[in-house]
Amino acid sequence: MTDLESQLREFMDYYNATMAHPFAWTYTGKPVQKQRRATFVAPHRRLKLGKIQRLAKAAALCNSV
């Protein structure tokens, strides 16, 4: 157990001496807003959506006449 502890302390000393650097805090205090992502439409459903939209347009044109 002491061997592990001494190895950990040795690593921490090495890390702090060679690789550690100050952290630049950039948070402004404003709440982070959830980003909306585009909805995924599977390739095999894309044609169906297009067909449905075309049919809806045609129906709207027929109803307006």
Side-chain angles (χ1 to χ4, degrees), residues 1-25:
M1 190 66 166
T2 21
D3 186 41
L4 176 62
E5 185 179 344
S6 64
Q7 287 179 351
L8 285 172
R9 290 195 184 277
E10 189 177 314
F11 171 75
M12 287 190 291
D13 291 339
Y14 168 76
Y15 182 87
N16 288 337
T18 58
M19 293 185 265
H21 54 82
F23 181 77
W25 190 259

